[in-house]
Amino acid sequence: MYCTRKIAEHIEWVGGNDRRLALFENLFPIPRGVAYNAYLILDEKTALLDTVDSSIARQFFENITHGLQGRPLDYLIVNHMEPDHCANIEELMLRYPDMKIVGNLKTIQLIQQFYGVDLDGRTLIVKENDELPLGRHTLQFVLAPMVHWPEVMMTYEKTEKILFSADAFGSFGALNGAIFNDELNFERDWLADSRRYYSNIVGKYGPQVQAALKKAATLDIRMLCPLHGPIWRTDLSYLLGKYDLWSRYEPEDQAVAIFYGSMYGDTENAVNVLAASLADAGIRDISVYDVSSTHVSQLVSESFRCSHLVFAAPTYNNGLYPAMETALLDMKALNLQNRTVGIIENGSWAPQAGNVMRSILSEMKNMRVLENGVTVKSSVKDEQIPALMSLRDEIVKTMQQA
Ligand code: FEO
């Protein structure tokens, strides 16, 4: 049975949800599932904006068959050529033989590269700011390269003032009936997954997101329609503000996130002592994560949220504890910048973890490593307490300065 929702006059949401997929991109846990959004415009011409993942193709075709009410599909707009959005292009070409595929040159190259289909006479190639009239509605194309992939573009519908924004402004999480931001509790139920999605999927491309935000600022936008997660039709400045911070690598919160690896509980003990002393000193937003049991996407997400990060890890193979190395290298790969960082290392005979952590951090932009590092030899003793308290004091002082 079809399951669609009207988002504006003659514009329908025709996407769907996958609540069975465990790992998005076979990497990221999505216990709340994921939505693949697609949109259908019915005018003198009909246009479909993107398709969906192959896992929900059946639902998708029921939706568009219902939405079209027997009419042919004139245009498929391909804003993003990643398979979670374009898995159904070939089937659409077969079902709608007069349908034109609308994309930029890179889009068309990628369609051929992925699917090897004969596109002769089936494409309409567009450039920045080109327009496609559908009747009462007009689409304007806004290129947004590397707001995930190089071919990405956004489509602005001028009559209803809707920006179809591709991966930008998306989130992990299935849409549970409610598809608009004002129908759900975003801050409570979605913000963490929205941040985890942004930081891990698009986080590396902050400058390109900034460029897209600048283009978006020139448009009068009433509604943001991403390819994943809720549609935004109120309070757009809230989400735009988050994207501005995230893409400039500025923290959202003056907060401490402590990431630790611990083989037998001793490095964890040092972290507990530090966290308790921070709370005693009046710091209220403290998070503690075991890097061995917390998915790295969550660690990355928290590193994008918090102003102060503490990394605490044992020495391992004369280097760094592997789970911590993975976390730090992922943060580096995603271009994390502008954080204040504390270091705690443990090493029973030749501590090296601190050196490796400092080396990785030195290759990241504007990471201020606090002077008061802590070295634990096997387990915390009285002699480490002054160093832990000095680290606490430096964290408190730099938070107050901020
Ligand atoms: Fe949702 Fe970059 O694909």
Side-chain angles (χ1 to χ4, degrees):
M1 173 55 71
Y2 68 89
C3 182
T4 63
R5 287 197 62 189
K6 177 178 171 178
I7 68 163
E9 211 51 51
H10 303 299
I11 306 183
E12 292 270 318
W13 174 81
V14 290
N17 297 293
D18 188 346
R19 296 184 180 86
R20 296 199 295 181
L21 184 68
L23 298 174
F24 184 80
E25 292 184 358
N26 209 12
L27 274 178
F28 304 106
I30 44 168
R32 299 172 59 244
V34 65
Y36 302 106
N37 298 331
Y39 305 92
L40 182 64
I41 304 179
L42 293 172
D43 205 324
E44 289 166 26
K45 296 285 187 185
T46 59
L48 176 65
L49 290 110
D50 293 291
T51 84
V52 296
D53 190 81
S54 56
S55 61
I56 60 159
R58 182 177 170 206
Q59 177 74 71
F60 172 70
F61 281 109
E62 289 191 23
N63 288 352
I64 56 173
T65 302
H66 167 77
L68 284 167
Q69 296 168 346
R71 295 182 60 186
L73 181 60
D74 296 307
Y75 298 111
L76 168 65
I77 318 299
V78 181
N79 283 317
H80 186 15
M81 248 311 289
E82 191 161 4
D84 54 336
H85 308 294
C86 61
N88 301 285
I89 291 178
E90 206 171 351
E91 178 65 22
L92 281 168
M93 290 174 72
L94 293 171
R95 290 188 184 210
Y96 303 103
D98 296 322
M99 177 192 82
K100 286 267 195 294
I101 298 173
V102 181
N104 57 66
L105 268 176
K106 283 200 175 71
T107 320
I108 305 305
Q109 283 165 5
L110 280 172
I111 294 175
Q112 273 167 331
Q113 198 170 295
F114 268 103
Y115 302 120
V117 287
D118 180 8
L119 295 174
D120 198 26
R122 301 293 307 262
T123 61
L124 178 62
I125 294 175
V126 295
K127 302 186 298 301
E128 180 83 350
N129 288 327
D130 278 359
E131 294 192 358
L132 177 64
L134 302 175
R136 204 176 71 81
H137 301 85
T138 299
L139 303 179
Q140 178 187 346
F141 303 102
V142 180
L143 301 188
M146 297 318 297
V147 181
H148 200 204
W149 280 19
E151 86 300 349
V152 168
M153 63 183 195
M154 302 183 182
T155 299
Y156 179 62
E157 198 293 299
K158 296 174 77 169
T159 305
E160 296 289 348
K161 305 185 193 311
I162 298 173
L163 185 67
F164 297 95
S165 60
D167 274 346
F169 311 114
S171 179
F172 296 133
L175 292 164
N176 300 324
I179 65 168
F180 297 103
N181 70 300
D182 56 293
E183 296 177 330
L184 43 84
N185 189 330
F186 187 83
E187 190 107 16
R188 187 190 66 195
D189 298 333
W190 286 83
L191 176 59
D193 256 348
S194 179
R195 184 188 302 109
R196 190 165 65 93
Y197 172 86
Y198 174 85
S199 54
N200 286 278
I201 305 292
V202 196
K204 182 177 175 61
Y205 305 110
Q208 291 86 347
V209 173
Q210 279 287 309
L213 288 173
K214 286 195 175 71
K215 286 186 188 180
T218 66
L219 303 169
D220 180 13
I221 300 169
R222 191 175 64 82
M223 197 182 291
L224 280 172
C225 290
L227 287 173
H228 302 284
I231 293 168
W232 284 73
R233 63 180 180 186
T234 61
D235 208 9
L236 271 55
S237 58
Y238 170 87
L239 188 63
L240 290 164
K242 295 286 183 202
Y243 261 68
D244 183 44
L245 284 176
W246 295 337
S247 57
R248 287 189 293 113
Y249 303 100
E250 292 298 333
E252 275 169 271
D253 299 332
Q254 286 299 312
V256 185
I258 306 178
F259 307 100
Y260 75 88
S262 191
M263 294 159 69
Y264 300 106
D266 288 301
T267 310
E268 181 183 5
N269 180 228
V271 159
N272 284 333
V273 171
L274 175 68
S277 71
L278 284 166
D280 267 344
I283 304 299
R284 285 295 167 263
D285 193 345
I286 306 166
S287 313
V288 175
Y289 296 99
D290 181 344
V291 296
S292 297
S293 59
T294 311
H295 194 267
V296 68
S297 65
Q298 175 68 10
L299 307 175
V300 164
S301 182
E302 282 296 85
S303 74
F304 270 65
R305 180 179 71 85
C306 298
S307 59
H308 286 63
L309 314 176
V310 176
F311 298 100
T315 301
Y316 203 89
N317 290 332
N318 200 30
L320 178 58
Y321 191 61
M324 179 61 82
E325 191 159 22
T326 298
L328 270 167
L329 290 176
D330 208 11
M331 290 170 194
K332 181 184 156 200
L334 290 161
N335 255 335
L336 179 71
Q337 303 168 23
N338 307 325
R339 296 298 188 272
T340 303
V341 178
I343 299 276
I344 300 173
E345 67 172 351
N346 198 341
S348 291
W349 58 95
Q352 271 302 321
N355 284 340
V356 181
M357 288 191 277
R358 282 190 178 81
S359 168
I360 296 170
L361 289 160
S362 72
E363 293 163 3
M364 299 162 72
K365 270 194 201 156
N366 197 23
M367 300 296 268
R368 175 182 178 187
V369 179
L370 297 172
E371 282 169 19
N372 293 292
V374 179
T375 297
V376 175
K377 286 208 159 179
S378 302
S379 62
V380 181
K381 319 280 191 318
D382 284 344
E383 66 232 45
Q384 271 93 45
I385 298 301
L388 280 165
M389 294 310 106
S390 296
L391 178 58
R392 171 204 63 189
D393 292 344
E394 221 181 344
I395 290 170
V396 171
K397 192 171 127 201
T398 51
M399 286 189 89
Q400 284 165 348
Q401 284 166 351

